[in-house]
Amino acid sequence: MQLSKFDGRIRESNAFTRKHAMTKSPPLLDPVCGMKVDPASTTHHSHWRDGAYHFCSASCKAKFDADPKRYAAKTVAEGMHVSDAPAAGAVADDDGSPKPTQYTCPMHPQIVRDRPGACPICGMALESMVPTAEDEPNDELNSMSRRFWISAALCLPLVAIAMGKHVSIPAMEWLNRWSYSNWAEFALATPIVLWGAWPFFVRGGQSIVNRKLNMFTLIALGVAVAYAYSVIGTFASGLFPETFKNHHGLVNVYFEAAGAIVTFVLLGQVLELKARGATSSAIKALLNLAPKTARKVQSDGSEQDVPLDSVQAGDHLRVRPGEKVPTDGKVLEGQTSIDESMMTGEPIPVEKHADDHVVGGTVNGTGSFIMEATKVGGETMLAQIVALVSEAQRSRAPIQRLADSVSAWFVPTVVLASIITFFLWLAFGPSPALAFALVNAVSVLIIACPCALGLATPMSIMVGVGRGAKMGVLVRNAEALEEMEKVNTLVVDKTGTLTEGRPKVTTVETVDGVEQQELLRLSASLEQASEHPLAAAIVAEAKRRDIALAEVSDFESHTGKGVTGRVGSGVVVLGTAALMSQYDVDTASLDARVDALRAEGSTVMHVAIDGKFAGIIAVADPVKETAKSSLDALRSMGMKIVMLTGDNRKTADAVAQKLGIEDVHADVLPEQKSAIVNELKSAGAIVAMAGDGVNDAPALAAAHVGIAMGSGTDVAMQTAGVTLVKGDLRGIVHARQLSVAIMRNIRQNLFFAFVYNAMGIPIAAGILYPITGTLLSPIIAAAAMSLSSVSVIGNALRLRRQKLN
């Protein structure tokens, strides 16, 4: 009767699972948070590129609408079902032809174009969204460089002629008497303004048409006003009163100001474009890790060097001493040590033997080995890291909203300030009032630089995210980066996070005459179908004892409790005491022994065969060597440590005692993990959750910052905001240090941009003239404006040398 009841429950459960699988449509997932969504019941929907997307909440919908391309690409990459959605982010068009490279703006990632050009919002040059290892020609940089050098060559004599009129050097006196000197300035300035500054006029005009005023609006206005005034003064001087003319009867013109402004702005553009190119150095360094060729072992044993692109999964490859591992795979023959520092930040080579995994791009030591390629192309860890870093560099941090809100009214305010300056000088300025009014109004237009304000955040993020990638800290988006600085509570899973995640069987005990070998054979056979680290330990122990495993049918995983299934003719249940109780299995005979093993830190699994308790299997998972020091470092940063585990209380307490963790939640089911995270958030904590398993994914999504250990599953890594390539807790310390450094750098940039404009505009308007009698020349204003953007980028580039201890 007991067996019938026991077997019936398994059959009912499996039947329900099969029925559920057949009647349910593919799951619809929220592309932002990954949660399941019922399109019929949710009220939050969006359409993009003919695809329908559904969301669990208004906040997720808002995030998608702000950056649909990013989340749509994620949706397809993670296999989420999308209603009638095309494969966003696919690399080929509908006809199978390669999709053209797309370009985006570093300040406005929502702008995506199929060809290079200028951003319609800020006017900056668009950048390729596809990172490459080669230094491809930068058409924008080449164009600006050419315009700068030619303009500079014309500007030098232009400024010399203009300045020569105002100095009492005998050799320059002829300029004062030459009635055609204005014409000479016109001849030199016109190519600079009409050709050198042409991109600025185009972008300034586009900004007015698009109603997105930007720095090029101000530059175009300033240069046009100075140039137009000077042209009229040269060719129609009779329109001006005598007070506007010097003692030689010439109108004072400002060709040199227009020419110098353009030249300095072109110089600023050249320096900025070069600096922006340096921000992608981290991605280029990662891409250059992959070798160009691989040495393929043919079926007849011969070896041949082939292009890396031709390598397919399953190919056997020879890696010789000192060579780079060509792609992800596992060792088949030989042993060696591999330098994985460029992927993990760890300088100590890692020993590799048969069946060990190797990562493409890492450097082989002195040994030679043959490997089997398991992942190639875009599936390799290196390719995924590059894609993740590239996406994160284009993401926007919440702090950017401050700069965005200021930039929205900044340019109109500057134009208004310029107009007010003009009329104030015209009404109250000394003679010639119109000339003073013009010069100061132009200075106000030129000195204001909204570009520095807009660059403050994205440049720091681009450089900082790249720096983190070199240390094995992968940031999924800028929002996670900003939140990481604020985290005051770290929730950590035990298995695979605090512990090695490679447990070993330490004890096998049976009851009622069941043989150990048989108990292990049935348990390992059942666990073949499970991906849990504890299951892997049982299977490994069976293989170590040369136990042949049997086929399994009706397998079912009870998340957080254990597994059930039929091995041969017998029904086997393996898992927690709670699972045993669910199937009315009495485990009291070994309770004392179970408590003793748990007190030592072992995880104990109960085994029942055909409804009867058969014994226990104890597995120990050693604590990671760096766990204690890493947690101590995090505590010194003000973090509270909370441990969550599905393991029992005694085992959890044993591990917690070793690591000094006081807040421990044991016997926690996956759904309870996310509930605990939400409780901490409700209490006001800023929570980061670190885990590596499928059962950690809900909690990773619920936390303010999810941290996936790179040694874990793809699901955990896709859910998390931060991924640690090595899976070492020191990576969390590095992530916190990186977040603090980047946010400090962003605040420095924003402070400089705000202070620069707050001080520069009044000075350009002539506020110091009544006190000191000095005015800010438009030429100096142009130089200061150009240098402000370059200084912001230069400050961001300091993050490349950021030390993570």
Side-chain angles (χ1 to χ4, degrees), residues 431-664:
S431 180
L434 180 58
F436 278 104
L438 178 68
V439 169
N440 289 299
V442 169
S443 293
V444 170
L445 288 173
I446 296 301
I447 199 168
C449 185
C451 187
L453 197 61
L455 285 171
T457 299
M459 289 299 106
S460 297
I461 289 173
M462 288 181 69
V463 179
V465 167
R467 178 70 182 92
K470 288 186 175 182
M471 293 295 295
V473 179
L474 306 182
V475 181
R476 194 173 191 84
N477 53 57
E479 184 177 359
L481 192 65
E482 183 171 337
E483 288 290 337
M484 189 66 195
E485 183 199 32
K486 307 172 186 175
V487 169
N488 55 27
T489 302
L490 175 65
V491 178
V492 288
D493 177 53
K494 180 178 74 68
T495 304
T497 303
L498 296 175
T499 61
E500 293 287 351
R502 294 189 294 270
K504 297 180 180 179
V505 172
T506 57
T507 304
V508 178
E509 295 192 12
T510 62
V511 296
D512 296 336
V514 178
E515 294 184 357
Q516 283 192 9
Q517 294 290 92
E518 178 64 10
L519 181 72
L520 196 56
R521 184 185 74 85
L522 295 173
S523 300
S525 298
L526 181 61
E527 291 283 32
Q528 287 181 100
S530 174
E531 295 182 353
H532 197 281
L534 299 181
I538 295 175
V539 173
E541 179 65 15
K543 290 182 178 180
R544 190 183 69 82
R545 299 189 186 191
D546 294 327
I547 298 176
L549 305 184
E551 293 185 1
V552 179
S553 59
D554 296 333
F555 175 85
E556 183 177 3
S557 175
H558 302 262
T559 306
K561 295 182 179 180
V563 292
T564 59
R566 184 177 291 276
V567 182
S569 60
V571 177
V572 180
V573 177
L574 186 151
T576 64
L579 186 62
M580 296 296 127
S581 177
Q582 183 177 326
Y583 287 98
D584 297 333
V585 176
D586 183 9
T587 63
S589 58
L590 288 180
D591 279 353
R593 180 58 177 151
V594 168
D595 289 343
L597 290 170
R598 287 174 175 171
E600 297 171 0
S602 296
T603 299
V604 181
M605 290 165 283
H606 301 75
V607 183
I609 304 173
D610 290 336
K612 295 182 179 179
F613 182 46
I616 58 173
I617 298 176
V619 175
D621 188 8
V623 173
K624 291 181 178 179
E625 291 182 4
T626 59
K628 181 66 165 61
S629 59
S630 298
L631 293 181
D632 288 343
L634 292 169
R635 290 190 191 96
S636 69
M637 297 177 185
M639 283 196 199
K640 174 186 177 184
I641 310 299
V642 178
M643 185 175 82
L644 301 185
T645 178
D647 220 332
N648 63 87
R649 168 60 63 176
K650 288 188 176 181
T651 302
D653 286 343
V655 173
Q657 186 175 4
K658 294 179 183 178
L659 299 175
I661 301 175
E662 298 179 357
D663 195 343
V664 179

Side-chain angles (χ1 to χ4, degrees), residues 652-685:
D653 286 343
V655 173
Q657 186 175 4
K658 294 179 183 178
L659 299 175
I661 301 175
E662 298 179 357
D663 195 343
V664 179
H665 297 261
D667 297 308
V668 177
L669 297 176
E671 57 269 23
Q672 293 174 323
K673 289 184 178 181
S674 58
I676 292 172
V677 169
N678 286 325
E679 286 178 8
L680 292 168
K681 290 169 62 178
S682 299

Side-chain angles (χ1 to χ4, degrees), residues 318-521:
R318 164 82 65 182
V319 183
R320 291 168 292 189
E323 291 183 336
K324 292 182 179 179
V325 178
T327 188
D328 293 3
K330 66 176 181 179
V331 178
L332 296 178
E333 300 177 14
Q335 62 182 34
T336 187
S337 59
I338 293 181
D339 180 1
E340 298 182 342
S341 59
M342 285 301 292
M343 303 291 290
T344 65
E346 290 299 316
I348 302 176
V350 180
E351 295 290 333
K352 299 291 182 179
H353 304 275
D355 293 332
D356 285 344
H357 290 279
V358 291
V359 178
T362 54
V363 181
N364 185 27
T366 58
S368 175
F369 65 94
I370 295 176
M371 61 173 285
E372 178 185 353
T374 57
K375 293 182 179 180
V376 296
E379 297 180 350
T380 64
M381 178 179 287
L382 180 60
Q384 292 178 20
I385 288 174
V386 169
L388 186 63
V389 172
S390 181
E391 179 184 347
Q393 288 183 330
R394 294 193 299 271
S395 64
R396 296 169 68 79
I399 196 173
Q400 178 69 20
R401 296 170 191 158
L402 173 63
D404 290 343
S405 61
V406 172
S407 297
W409 55 260
F410 183 81
V411 175
T413 301
V414 172
V415 174
L416 179 61
S418 177
I419 294 172
I420 293 173
T421 299
F422 178 83
F423 284 106
L424 285 176
W425 277 94
L426 189 62
F428 305 106
S431 180
L434 180 58
F436 278 104
L438 178 68
V439 169
N440 289 299
V442 169
S443 293
V444 170
L445 288 173
I446 296 301
I447 199 168
C449 185
C451 187
L453 197 61
L455 285 171
T457 299
M459 289 299 106
S460 297
I461 289 173
M462 288 181 69
V463 179
V465 167
R467 178 70 182 92
K470 288 186 175 182
M471 293 295 295
V473 179
L474 306 182
V475 181
R476 194 173 191 84
N477 53 57
E479 184 177 359
L481 192 65
E482 183 171 337
E483 288 290 337
M484 189 66 195
E485 183 199 32
K486 307 172 186 175
V487 169
N488 55 27
T489 302
L490 175 65
V491 178
V492 288
D493 177 53
K494 180 178 74 68
T495 304
T497 303
L498 296 175
T499 61
E500 293 287 351
R502 294 189 294 270
K504 297 180 180 179
V505 172
T506 57
T507 304
V508 178
E509 295 192 12
T510 62
V511 296
D512 296 336
V514 178
E515 294 184 357
Q516 283 192 9
Q517 294 290 92
E518 178 64 10
L519 181 72
L520 196 56
R521 184 185 74 85

Side-chain angles (χ1 to χ4, degrees), residues 37 48 59 136 193 214 247 255 293 304 322 338 356 526 528 536 568 579 658 722:
V37 180
W48 187 70
S59 62
E136 297 182 340
V193 173
N214 52 50
H247 59 282
F255 285 120
T293 61
Q304 180 183 5
I338 293 181
D356 285 344
L526 181 61
Q528 287 181 100
L579 186 62
K658 294 179 183 178
V722 176

